[in-house]
Amino acid sequence: GRATFGPASLATIRGPDNENRNPVPLDRIPKNVRNAVLAMEDARFYDHPGIDAVGIARALWVDVTAKDMKQGGSTLTQQVVKNLFLSQERTAERKLREALLAIAIERKLGKDEILRLYLNEIYLGQAGGSSICGVDAAARAWFGKPIERVSLAEAATIGGVIAAPSAWSPARYPDRARERRDIALGR
């Protein structure tokens, strides 16, 4: 049999790491998706200058009491900086560079542009042998529709799986994904 490709699969961009992405402007991403992601990943996004002192303090407390660097404490802006400009190493020096770059990027780009970058860049798991990057690619992979057409429950599912997409993938672990969806809806 010969492989066939629908319009949705032909319209995506695959980078050198076999990443499935379909970047979309912020105004095409429903408010429910934006709210779900912010509720789960950075509830104070529009109130901080790129770093969140409360989040950092919480993460440090958990790390110290657990005697391990388990918590990130990163804002969405810091995650964008890390994903686009820095390595994934977990060192104090890298975290400091991340924080300084986050503040600079917030001043240069503004909140909406950073949110657009984040929503189009965020890693959301694997499908068909490629990485799902961005909320539109996730909506197409998991729900068979563009991001503009997701329901409230689907939006909450997308927001809920970001922290651990391999463990909470709706394609592989629907029960776990529903639990995360319900947490996102509660927030």
Side-chain angles (χ1 to χ4, degrees), residues 4-21:
T4 60
F5 300 95
S9 65
L10 290 175
T12 61
I13 298 170
R14 293 197 194 266
D17 297 323
N18 200 24
E19 296 173 340
N20 182 0
R21 354 176 148 257

Side-chain angles (χ1 to χ4, degrees), residues 93-128:
E93 181 183 341
R94 200 242 347 141
K95 290 297 278 184
L96 178 60
R97 278 184 285 152
E98 177 186 293
L100 294 173
L101 279 170
I103 292 168
I105 285 176
E106 288 250 349
R107 289 181 179 159
K108 182 74 174 169
L109 297 181
K111 294 290 188 177
D112 287 345
E113 180 61 12
I114 292 164
L115 183 59
R116 183 194 66 76
L117 284 168
Y118 182 86
L119 294 172
N120 282 298
E121 172 67 26
I122 191 67
Y123 172 77
L124 287 158
Q126 297 282 320

Side-chain angles (χ1 to χ4, degrees), residues 32-51:
N32 285 336
V33 174
R34 290 182 261 162
N35 287 341
V37 169
L38 291 174
M40 295 302 284
E41 294 297 310
D42 190 352
R44 291 183 288 278
F45 177 69
Y46 281 98
D47 299 324
H48 62 64
I51 60 172

Side-chain angles (χ1 to χ4, degrees), residues 49-172:
I51 60 172
D52 182 2
V54 174
I56 291 170
R58 184 202 77 245
L60 283 173
W61 175 253
V62 171
D63 290 347
V64 167
T65 57
K67 293 183 177 52
D68 190 14
M69 290 189 74
K70 294 191 183 296
Q71 292 284 306
S74 295
T75 62
L76 258 81
T77 309
Q78 288 174 276
Q79 291 179 52
V80 167
V81 165
K82 180 177 62 178
N83 290 339
L84 296 179
F85 304 115
L86 300 175
S87 69
Q88 299 297 315
E89 65 183 337
R90 294 183 70 106
T91 65
E93 181 183 341
R94 200 242 347 141
K95 290 297 278 184
L96 178 60
R97 278 184 285 152
E98 177 186 293
L100 294 173
L101 279 170
I103 292 168
I105 285 176
E106 288 250 349
R107 289 181 179 159
K108 182 74 174 169
L109 297 181
K111 294 290 188 177
D112 287 345
E113 180 61 12
I114 292 164
L115 183 59
R116 183 194 66 76
L117 284 168
Y118 182 86
L119 294 172
N120 282 298
E121 172 67 26
I122 191 67
Y123 172 77
L124 287 158
Q126 297 282 320
S130 64
S131 297
I132 300 169
C133 295
V135 296
D136 189 67
R140 291 172 189 275
W142 296 335
F143 311 120
K145 60 178 94 167
I147 195 65
E148 297 94 336
R149 294 188 21 226
V150 297
S151 68
L152 174 60
E154 292 164 341
T157 300
I158 292 170
V161 303
I162 290 172
S166 297
W168 297 322
S169 166
R172 293 179 64 202

